Amino acid sequence: MKGASRVRLALCLGLLPATAGAFGQRPLNLGSTTVFDGGGAPPGLLWMTYVQLVSADRALDQDGRAIPGGARMSALSNLNQLFYLSPLKLAGAYLGLNVIVPLAAPSVQGALGPAPLSANTAGLGDPTFGLALQWNDRRLFGVPLQHRLEADVFAPWGKYDERFTVNPGQNFTTLEGYYAFTLSPSRRLEASGRLHYAWNTENAATKRRAGPLFHANLDASYAVLPMLRAG
């Protein structure tokens, strides 16, 4: 039907090893988005579900030295994302609305020095709400460019108990903005990136606040077959 919203479905499975680089930071998009991240889909409704296993096998202090205690952490999470790209435009960009609802099951072992680690049981994580501007028809030095600006709020509504070291929810608000782009020099080749900056409020229970964080995802891929890309 002409003008009807299009609904699309994507399933992503990821095993993402990591090390704990900063205590108190919430789980963020550290490599979850890669190829064609700048967008390009027509206006409509998109639902995506991500299943991720993230692990950390050592804890470091501010000088990069290992903290005694054998701290280890892993978390299995399922993120359900709804993204609506409206036909309305502002400054040549489509207006978009983003909602992500996570479920998380953390587990820990060992201690941070003399302090033993403990993990809350599985539950709802902190949902994310965002507004986006999506440009689908730009060019950079003659190369097709699709890009997006988005501002997100991580709401502190997830499961949290200050008696546990690790929780599905974080008990503080995070404001994050990002810029995502995709350059397509040819029909087979693309390069994409997403540059983030996150700022956190104080955790009311612990009276601690995680510092601001800049992080980025970068990729390049080539279409080996029409339905297969290597990157």
Side-chain angles (χ1 to χ4, degrees):
M1 182 184 298
K2 185 177 181 180
S5 295
R6 301 182 183 182
V7 179
R8 292 170 292 278
L9 164 66
L11 172 64
C12 302
L13 297 175
L15 297 177
L16 304 176
T19 55
F23 300 114
Q25 290 285 357
R26 70 168 57 254
L28 293 169
N29 182 348
L30 304 178
S32 299
T33 53
T34 54
V35 297
F36 294 108
D37 193 22
L45 182 65
L46 175 68
W47 173 54
M48 293 179 287
T49 182
Y50 304 82
V51 178
Q52 297 177 333
L53 176 61
V54 181
S55 64
D57 58 9
R58 57 179 176 155
L60 308 178
D61 64 17
Q62 66 269 24
D63 298 317
R65 295 187 295 256
I67 299 175
R72 299 173 64 91
M73 188 200 77
S74 63
L76 179 64
S77 61
N78 173 217
L79 288 78
N80 289 281
Q81 179 179 13
L82 277 174
F83 184 82
Y84 175 66
L85 193 62
S86 79
L88 301 176
K89 281 191 170 184
L90 177 65
Y94 293 108
L95 296 175
L97 174 65
N98 186 37
V99 179
I100 302 176
V101 179
L103 299 172
S107 63
V108 295
Q109 294 177 353
L112 288 175
L117 295 175
S118 59
N120 204 341
T121 53
L124 177 69
D126 294 338
T128 304
F129 304 92
L131 294 174
L133 292 173
Q134 175 70 50
W135 290 268
N136 285 341
D137 55 359
R138 295 296 191 260
R139 287 183 174 268
L140 181 64
F141 301 114
V143 177
L145 169 67
Q146 299 159 340
H147 59 148
R148 179 174 63 261
L149 281 173
E150 182 166 328
D152 292 328
V153 177
F154 294 76
W157 299 346
K159 185 177 182 179
Y160 180 84
D161 188 328
E162 63 182 290
R163 293 173 297 177
F164 295 97
T165 313
V166 179
N167 289 274
Q170 304 303 306
N171 200 44
F172 60 82
T173 301
T174 297
L175 306 179
E176 182 172 58
Y178 76 76
Y179 171 70
F181 67 88
T182 294
L183 285 165
S184 304
S186 71
R187 293 179 63 87
R188 288 177 176 266
L189 181 64
E190 67 85 33
S192 298
R194 188 184 290 204
L195 312 177
H196 307 74
Y197 181 82
W199 180 87
N200 305 298
T201 64
E202 182 182 87
N203 184 323
T206 64
K207 304 304 180 184
R208 296 175 181 173
R209 185 172 73 177
L213 177 67
F214 172 81
H215 57 106
N217 302 336
L218 300 171
D219 92 87
S221 70
Y222 184 81
V224 181
L225 299 171
M227 297 298 291
L228 176 65
R229 303 190 72 90

